[in-house]
Amino acid sequence: MLSDEQRTSWDDRGFFRIDGFAPASVCSAMLKRVTELVRNPEQAASVGAWILPESNKAKADVANPEDAVSKIFRLHKDSVFAEFAHSPEVVDLVSPLIAPDIDVFLSQFIFKTAGAWGQPWHQDSLYFPFEPARPVVGVWLAVTEATLVNGCLHVLPGSQTEPVHAHVPDRRPGANYGYFEIIDHDMSLSEPVLMSAGDLLVFDSHLMHRSTDNESTGIRAAMVYHYATAGSVDHSAEYWTSSNAWVPVRRDGQVLPPSVDAA
Ligand SMILES: O=C(O)CCC(=O)C(=O)O
């Protein structure tokens, strides 16, 4: 399912991108739905979503509730987010990188409204104490444009071959919950990932990446999913309150519809 170019980029650089992957209608439906959920916390709770506040913004100081939200987790059983997570276009892209049978276990909508801080250099596998530990694949959909000014991702090509490095808590006072940082590695060969709404980045969970602060006056939104081998043992709950929810997306060569729950 992967082109030679995608496979080479994956092997050598730890990621590849597909421009124009999702239509504008999907991006706007996602943004509309998360806004609805943030404005209706009971509805968010009823679909199992978790709302994480932006640490450096007080609810009282913002015009709309969503302006003070950093991320919403556990959306992959809900409407447009489930449809995307289970779509053959995504599942058949990710499966060759992992295994024939895969689950989606994590989803997060990142609001990154004006003034929100970025996430420092990290490897996603820090958050994934699984057996087997890898492969784990992230897909990052640009819901809006991502630029140098509004806080696009930056990646360090080739760093997927590194083990998971030591991470220290994000050193900025008031940094968001759960943000950790790699400080023992040279990031000088990193590259910004400039994207238009609808572009997709597919990346290895050992790839070092970060995002910068949103210094624009608008939102820089993204929807992120993570996929892993079916039957993985997830030890997260032994360390922290986990937002993971394992849902099968591919079995016996078939992409499964959103309604099939994990065993
Ligand atoms: O989109 C962002 O601002 C950061 C996302 C990120 O680093 C991640 O999903 O691991």
Side-chain angles (χ1 to χ4, degrees):
M1 300 287 174
L2 299 182
S3 69
D4 290 347
E5 200 182 331
Q6 287 165 346
R7 177 55 79 175
T8 301
S9 180
W10 181 261
D11 291 343
D12 296 349
R13 290 158 65 79
F15 65 92
F16 60 85
R17 59 183 289 163
I18 304 180
D19 293 348
F21 185 82
S25 56
V26 168
C27 298
S28 55
M30 286 182 172
L31 192 52
K32 182 164 175 269
R33 179 65 177 151
V34 285
T35 305
E36 181 178 57
L37 291 175
V38 170
R39 293 182 183 187
N40 297 280
E42 281 171 17
Q43 201 184 130
S46 76
V47 301
W50 291 12
I51 300 176
L52 187 73
E54 186 68 55
S55 293
N56 71 347
K57 289 188 184 182
K59 259 190 194 165
D61 298 340
V62 296
N64 303 301
E66 58 275 16
D67 296 340
V69 172
S70 167
K71 300 182 177 184
I72 304 193
F73 289 95
R74 290 167 68 100
L75 290 167
H76 54 278
K77 293 185 184 181
D78 182 62
S79 61
V80 62
F81 306 107
E83 274 167 42
F84 188 86
H86 289 255
S87 64
E89 292 77 12
V90 175
V91 174
D92 287 338
L93 187 66
V94 173
S95 168
L97 303 169
I98 304 177
D101 291 353
I102 61 170
D103 290 0
V104 58
F105 65 89
L106 175 63
S107 56
Q108 39 183 320
F109 187 92
I110 307 179
F111 279 90
K112 200 116 183 239
T113 50
W117 289 349
Q119 188 163 353
W121 284 109
H122 65 282
Q123 291 161 296
D124 288 343
S125 272
L126 175 72
Y127 303 94
F128 304 149
F130 301 164
E131 290 174 73
R134 60 195 307 198
V136 176
V137 173
V139 301
W140 193 101
L141 175 70
V143 171
T144 63
E145 187 186 29
T147 68
L148 288 175
V149 178
N150 72 10
C152 66
L153 286 182
H154 295 240
V155 295
L156 183 66
S159 57
Q160 79 283 358
T161 59
E162 293 284 323
V164 177
H165 280 234
H167 288 61
V168 300
D170 187 336
R171 292 166 291 177
R172 296 170 297 181
N176 277 330
Y177 173 78
Y179 279 14
F180 289 89
E181 182 174 8
I182 297 170
I183 56 171
D184 67 353
H185 197 67
D186 177 10
M187 305 295 182
S188 56
L189 294 178
S190 67
E191 296 175 2
V193 187
L194 305 177
M195 299 183 108
S196 299
D199 293 350
L200 191 78
L201 183 76
V202 181
F203 63 105
D204 187 286
S205 63
H206 278 231
L207 184 76
M208 294 179 183
H209 62 288
R210 70 162 175 174
S211 69
T212 47
D213 301 345
N214 183 351
E215 292 170 347
S216 78
T217 53
I219 186 172
R220 194 245 59 194
M223 183 65 207
V224 192
Y225 299 88
H226 281 85
Y227 295 83
T229 310
S232 297
V233 181
D234 181 352
H235 292 286
S236 309
E238 295 164 32
Y239 302 100
W240 53 75
T241 305
S242 172
S243 64
N244 295 344
W246 293 76
V247 177
V249 294
R250 197 172 192 276
R251 293 288 188 276
D252 304 322
Q254 301 295 321
V255 177
L256 301 178
S259 54
V260 180
D261 248 336

